Amino acid sequence: MTPRDLLPIAGFAAAAALLPLFVTAGTWLNFMIFTLIICLAAQGWNILGGFGGQYSFGHAAFFGTAAYGTAILQLRYGVNPYPAFAAGIAAAAAVGWIIGVLAFRSGLRGSYFALVTLAFAEVFRVLANSAEVTGGAAGLLIKLDVRPENFQFESRANFYWIALALVTGALVLTRWLERSRLGAQLVAVRENESAARALGVDALSVKLSAITLSGAVTGAAGGLYAQYFLYLDANIAYGTWISVEALLAPIIGGAGTVFGPVLGGIILHSLAEFTKTLVGRIPGVDLVIFGALLILVVRFPPRDIPGLLKRWRR
Amino acid sequence: MSRVSFLSVQGVSKRFGGLLAVSDASFEVAEGSITGLIGPNGAGKTTLFAIASGFEQPTTGRVIWRGEDITGRPPHRLAQDGLARTFQIVQPFAGLSVRENIAVGAFLRHRRRADAIAVAERVAERVGLSAELDKPAAALTVAGRKRVELAKALATEPKLLLLDEVLAGLNPSEVRDIVPVVRAIRDGGVTVLMIEHVMQAVMNLCETVHVLAQGRIIASGTPHSVVADPAVIEAYLGHGAAKRLSGAAHA
């Protein structure tokens, strides 16, 4: 990784960090924070799905595990939110590794892998909906205690900057991956697993590293969500909505690229917000827009927005 | 002929359900040699390669490499140990450039990206791909993709290279171009075992040839002795062909 590799990331972070100086309305900050959380979840998906070609439909498993981990450690064990957040991320990474061992060891690929990840997320959702430690169907409410040392802030802008710092960290991580041996081997496995193995790539261990990293990053989004909204239930933490958002954003913005998930996340949520102001709050209207956009994007190779723009320019 | 046995395939059989693809095959590859494995279509050559490179387990038999039993060792470990293979049906990483394709092989022994890329570029030069480094692998001609296949395997810095029909599908002038490349690889210290149908190249390159037919090794020796062997002629042309051919020669 050279300084030149990091320049676009630094540029993005600096520009985004200035936004709260101009945008002060609470609803807008709220929108921007939520979009960043989705971008972070999508960046996690991108490591496994974009670089590794292993399409997961169940990244909610990681999002929810870290979200519940962050909340439960605070509520039931009185742990400070920062270490609780870190532990939540570690738990999500561990869940990633376990799902990876079970799925990749038995050689699951393609749609079979997608279905198994979806099944894991659904099992977690059902369990969280009935278990006592997760508050069952009533969910968990993190006690309001607004102090910076308690990971709760008076001003939304502070939270925005923390979310931005995490998204920037994930961008740097992705850039590192792109330039590293692990990244090259992961892409090789995506393109042709047999050929990669013949060249000395330990496909299983490469995929396990990817799903563990992927789980950690998407987990960070979950922990952040819990800490920002201070409320969780099974349908939020382990719901299919987050699995879908985590995979739509990178696919639309450019899977397997560093900025793809962030670009996709911003486009998706701007569109959704725009539609809502246009047609009012019809439930599910944002999903209709997402679906239409997805169809449009995958209709033309290279099947993402940057590719679509390139086509039109020609 | 007292060269050390480098790779030794000992009594290998492979059964797929009711089909005995390889039947009690044994042969040796001497260190520093170019050895050929020829035979009619469906003889089991590629299966034998898959077994030697760890992609398939033999039903019975052993593969010994440099005194070590490597039967059933997974492909990525064999590659680490210095045994690389190419595929008959070329397997490029289609979305990647030629440089990145070769670099995947180079990353095996070079952790840093800059080193791996440098090795990839050196290997590209050896196989004549320097001008194509930035092109997507999918955009190359068949001959170009065969070279990429060769380059990827070479980039792992193997001691033994298994080439599965790298010349198939090439026109005669392309074959002529690649023959010296293979010889230079051997002269660079890499032992080569090649499956090949292009006899012009086999006669030119190989010191020893093993002939596989219906899963069995039916002849071994120098290329010239092997092509004159009646058993080999019959395997290719059918029962009685050797007799008829020699009859025609006498007439």
Side-chain angles (χ1 to χ4, degrees), chain B residues 75-119:
Chain B
H76 69 268
R77 287 209 28 223
L78 288 174
Q80 274 155 18
D81 297 342
L83 194 155
R85 72 168 292 185
T86 66
F87 290 89
Q88 180 182 3
I89 299 157
V90 290
Q91 311 271 357
F93 304 118
L96 306 186
S97 70
V98 169
R99 181 184 280 107
E100 289 166 313
N101 261 273
I102 307 173
V104 173
F107 265 116
L108 178 61
R109 310 218 186 273
H110 303 275
R111 178 168 275 283
R112 287 187 48 234
R113 181 178 180 81
D115 299 343
I117 295 285
V119 169

Side-chain angles (χ1 to χ4, degrees), chain B residues 128-202:
Chain B
L129 275 174
S130 289
E132 331 277 344
L133 279 168
D134 294 309
K135 290 187 189 160
L140 297 185
T141 59
V142 175
R145 274 181 263 172
K146 294 272 183 180
R147 284 177 196 252
V148 172
E149 190 72 17
L150 189 58
K152 285 192 303 184
L154 264 186
T156 65
E157 296 168 28
K159 299 185 182 75
L160 172 63
L161 189 54
L162 307 179
L163 302 179
D164 194 350
E165 295 205 33
V166 280
L167 304 175
L170 304 190
N171 68 38
S173 95
E174 288 164 341
V175 169
R176 262 198 311 278
D177 289 344
I178 249 188
V179 161
V181 172
V182 174
R183 190 173 289 128
I185 289 168
R186 190 274 305 273
D187 294 342
V190 182
T191 306
V192 176
L193 172 63
M194 57 196 301
I195 292 179
E196 202 46 73
H197 278 303
V198 180
M199 286 310 286
Q200 172 205 351
V202 174

Side-chain angles (χ1 to χ4, degrees), chain B:
Chain B
M1 264 317 278
S2 68
R3 278 191 288 189
V4 207
S5 163
F6 196 51
L7 179 78
S8 163
V9 171
Q10 301 180 347
V12 163
S13 299
K14 177 70 186 179
R15 182 177 285 285
F16 294 108
L19 175 78
L20 193 60
V22 179
S23 164
D24 194 25
S26 300
F27 66 89
E28 312 255 310
V29 176
E31 182 163 14
S33 69
I34 300 181
T35 302
L37 184 62
I38 66 171
N41 289 323
K45 303 181 297 292
T46 294
T47 305
L48 208 46
F49 254 37
I51 289 168
S53 58
F55 279 87
E56 296 276 1
Q57 296 263 6
T59 311
T60 56
R62 300 187 307 164
V63 182
I64 309 289
W65 187 42
R66 302 206 294 169
E68 234 185 301
D69 189 342
I70 57 163
T71 320
R73 197 177 284 182
H76 69 268
R77 287 209 28 223
L78 288 174
Q80 274 155 18
D81 297 342
L83 194 155
R85 72 168 292 185
T86 66
F87 290 89
Q88 180 182 3
I89 299 157
V90 290
Q91 311 271 357
F93 304 118
L96 306 186
S97 70
V98 169
R99 181 184 280 107
E100 289 166 313
N101 261 273
I102 307 173
V104 173
F107 265 116
L108 178 61
R109 310 218 186 273
H110 303 275
R111 178 168 275 283
R112 287 187 48 234
R113 181 178 180 81
D115 299 343
I117 295 285
V119 169
E121 287 172 358
R122 273 206 302 280
V123 171
E125 204 179 321
R126 279 170 75 189
V127 303
L129 275 174
S130 289
E132 331 277 344
L133 279 168
D134 294 309
K135 290 187 189 160
L140 297 185
T141 59
V142 175
R145 274 181 263 172
K146 294 272 183 180
R147 284 177 196 252
V148 172
E149 190 72 17
L150 189 58
K152 285 192 303 184
L154 264 186
T156 65
E157 296 168 28
K159 299 185 182 75
L160 172 63
L161 189 54
L162 307 179
L163 302 179
D164 194 350
E165 295 205 33
V166 280
L167 304 175
L170 304 190
N171 68 38
S173 95
E174 288 164 341
V175 169
R176 262 198 311 278
D177 289 344
I178 249 188
V179 161
V181 172
V182 174
R183 190 173 289 128
I185 289 168
R186 190 274 305 273
D187 294 342
V190 182
T191 306
V192 176
L193 172 63
M194 57 196 301
I195 292 179
E196 202 46 73
H197 278 303
V198 180
M199 286 310 286
Q200 172 205 351
V202 174
M203 303 298 279
N204 245 314
L205 281 171
C206 300
E207 287 113 38
T208 310
V209 173
H210 304 287
V211 186
L212 197 67
Q214 293 175 336
R216 297 171 182 282
I217 299 283
I218 57 165
S220 294
T222 63
H224 288 280
S225 73
V226 156
V227 293
D229 189 324
V232 175
I233 295 170
E234 299 213 341
Y236 274 92
L237 299 177
H239 182 65
K243 209 168 172 187
R244 263 177 278 134
L245 276 181
S246 68
H250 285 305

